[in-house]
């Protein structure tokens, strides 16, 4: 139950210890986790074989993640960016009322805007928002600030042209590194351009402290469940080469340490077997403390990137995300 802040009080739902219990983990989630560990055991590390070879392998479906399925509804457009053209992957609903700016994950190193067309279709068809995914430049070839600059350019262009997408409902979101870039993009538009155009932010298993939260440091390297401590370290070195953990916590790099005031409602989604668990727990708390509306959606036993693997919790999370976007843009 929530009260009216104007009445001087309101209640925020508390965390439930049962969510973090092994008994709360669904059987199909346990099975998927075991299959992921088996599929990843013995696979080469991207920093050993090179980022491009790892990207090619992921695109071919080699490893834990399934090969991407391309949509015949998707199209590419190009906009002007800070270092040339930025490509945007666009999937439109039958009748659009605005746009969802999507930023893909992959540790700022892997992934691509055309590798989650099915997700873009779900967003477009469930919300009536045109889903637009940014093909931003990747590290280590293009470290900070290349990726954030491209996402900022896309957000500014979309803010200027939102009426071309059937309405004024502008939202943003992403997964993992994409959630981090989405948060940075909101902060950049507010601080550098005086704009707060977003109606909602959908931040899914994001990394918000590039200096690494306790859960990221404690996860360890033995269990190859998508994301380990060493993976986070290597991704961070590629994106922010030469910086110490404390330097990576500068507010313009790690949104957990930024002034979060005056931002839109946000949904934070996280699984309890994700090395980035604390990032979402801490960021949600700071989001609320800054005076923003925020929700925290926790999935017992779910690993990092669990949305890529069909199971009960995947479908429940997607349903929750769509409900959130619809409510925030009603």
């Amino acid at each position: 139950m929530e009260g009216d802040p104007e009445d001087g009080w309101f209640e925020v739902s508390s965390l439930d210890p049962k969510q973090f219990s092994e008994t709360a983990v669904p059987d199909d989630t346990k099975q998927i986790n075991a299959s992921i560990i088996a599929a990843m055991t013995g696979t080469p590390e991207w920093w050993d074989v090179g980022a491009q070879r790892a990207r090619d392998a992921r695109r071919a479906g080699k490893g834990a993640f399934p090969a991407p399925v391309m949509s015949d509804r998707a199209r590419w457009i190009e906009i002007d960016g800070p270092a040339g053209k930025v490509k945007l992957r666009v999937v439109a609903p039958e009748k659009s009322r605005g746009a969802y700016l999507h930023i893909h994950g992959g540790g700022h190193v892997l992934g691509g805007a055309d590798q989650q067309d099915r997700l873009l279709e779900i967003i477009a068809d469930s919300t009536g928002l045109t889903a637009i995914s940014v093909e931003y430049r990747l590290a280590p070839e293009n470290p900070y600030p290349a990726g954030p600059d491209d996402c900022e350019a896309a957000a500014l262009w979309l803010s200027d042209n939102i009426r071309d997408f059937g309405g004024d409902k502008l939202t943003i979101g992403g997964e993992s590194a994409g959630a981090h870039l989405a948060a940075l993009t909101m902060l950049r538009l507010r601080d550098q351009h005086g704009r707060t155009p977003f109606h909602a932010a959908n931040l899914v298993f994001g990394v918000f402290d590039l200096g690494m939260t306790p859960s990221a440091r404690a996860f360890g390297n033995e269990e190859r469940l998508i994301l380990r401590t060493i993976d986070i370290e290597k991704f961070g070195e590629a994106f922010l080469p030469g910086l110490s953990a404390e330097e990576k916590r500068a507010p313009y790099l790690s949104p957990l340490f930024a002034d979060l005031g005056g931002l839109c409602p946000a949904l934070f989604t996280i699984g309890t077997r994700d090395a980035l668990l604390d990032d979402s727990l801490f960021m949600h708390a700071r989001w609320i403390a800054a005076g923003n509306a925020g929700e925290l959606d926790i999935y017992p036993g779910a690993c990092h990137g669990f949305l890529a693997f069909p199971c009960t919790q995947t479908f429940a999370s997607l349903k929750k995300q769509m409900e959130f976007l619809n409510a925030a843009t009603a």
Side-chain angles (χ1 to χ4, degrees):
M1 181 179 70
E2 295 185 3
D4 187 341
E6 294 183 358
D7 293 337
W9 68 274
F10 59 98
E11 183 179 344
V12 178
S13 59
S14 60
L15 294 174
D16 184 349
K18 295 178 182 178
Q19 295 174 304
F20 302 87
S21 169
E22 183 66 21
T23 59
V25 182
D27 288 341
D28 59 349
T29 295
K30 294 178 182 178
Q31 293 166 2
I32 284 176
N33 288 348
S35 67
I36 291 171
I37 294 171
M40 295 193 71
T41 298
T43 58
E45 310 286 10
W46 73 262
W47 53 89
D48 290 332
V49 301
Q52 190 56 54
R53 184 175 169 186
R55 293 173 196 141
D56 294 342
R58 177 175 288 196
R59 185 173 290 276
K62 298 177 181 178
F65 289 102
V69 177
M70 305 301 173
S71 170
D72 57 8
R73 296 166 50 188
R75 61 188 177 95
W76 289 104
I77 62 174
E78 290 186 344
I79 64 169
D80 292 328
K85 296 294 185 179
V86 176
K87 294 174 62 179
L88 304 177
R89 183 77 163 174
V90 180
V91 176
E94 184 174 340
K95 184 177 180 181
S96 180
R97 61 191 185 94
Y100 177 86
L101 182 62
H102 174 264
I103 308 176
H104 71 79
H108 307 97
V109 170
L110 308 174
D114 62 348
Q115 292 185 31
Q116 55 281 310
D117 280 2
R118 180 56 185 144
L119 174 61
L120 301 185
E121 287 181 342
I122 291 171
I123 293 168
D125 293 342
S126 300
T127 68
L129 301 170
T130 298
I132 303 174
S133 192
V134 187
E135 185 79 336
Y136 58 89
R137 286 169 290 166
L138 298 173
E141 300 92 334
N142 296 284
Y144 179 89
D149 284 352
D150 291 346
C151 295
E152 178 186 352
L156 288 170
W157 176 85
L158 194 50
S159 176
D160 288 338
N161 295 279
I162 187 62
R163 288 290 180 180
D164 293 343
F165 297 93
D168 63 352
K169 304 301 184 183
L170 179 56
T171 59
I172 190 171
E175 304 80 40
S176 192
H180 167 258
L181 291 171
L184 285 192
T185 298
M186 287 187 282
L187 292 169
R188 282 180 170 215
L189 261 63
R190 185 197 65 187
D191 296 342
Q192 298 178 25
H193 305 280
R195 300 192 193 187
T196 52
F198 299 105
H199 289 74
N202 182 35
L203 305 176
V204 185
F205 34 77
V207 54
F208 304 113
D209 176 1
L210 299 187
M212 299 178 63
T213 57
S215 65
R217 298 182 183 209
F219 194 85
N221 302 317
E222 296 302 317
E223 186 175 71
R224 292 197 71 171
L225 191 56
I226 302 297
L227 192 68
R228 304 159 296 172
T229 299
I230 191 172
D231 298 304
I232 301 170
E233 292 170 344
K234 292 293 186 179
F235 284 139
E237 290 169 8
F239 182 59
L240 297 171
L243 296 190
S244 68
E246 192 57 35
E247 288 171 329
K248 291 174 182 175
R249 285 177 165 160
Y252 65 92
L253 299 175
S254 291
L256 181 65
F257 298 90
D259 172 7
L260 300 177
L263 298 176
C264 62
L267 172 65
F268 299 89
T269 300
I270 194 67
T272 64
R273 283 188 74 184
D274 191 330
L276 299 179
L277 172 63
D278 285 348
D279 288 70
S280 286
L281 297 182
F282 297 172
M283 190 67 169
H284 170 255
R286 290 216 62 234
W287 200 267
I288 296 294
N292 308 305
E295 298 180 50
L296 180 64
D297 198 24
I298 298 175
Y299 291 89
C303 69
H304 190 72
F306 73 92
L307 289 185
F309 308 95
C311 68
T312 304
Q313 294 198 119
T314 297
F315 300 129
S317 176
L318 289 171
K319 182 175 183 289
K320 173 65 177 179
Q321 291 174 51
M322 300 310 111
E323 290 173 345
F324 165 75
L325 290 171
N326 283 324
T329 57

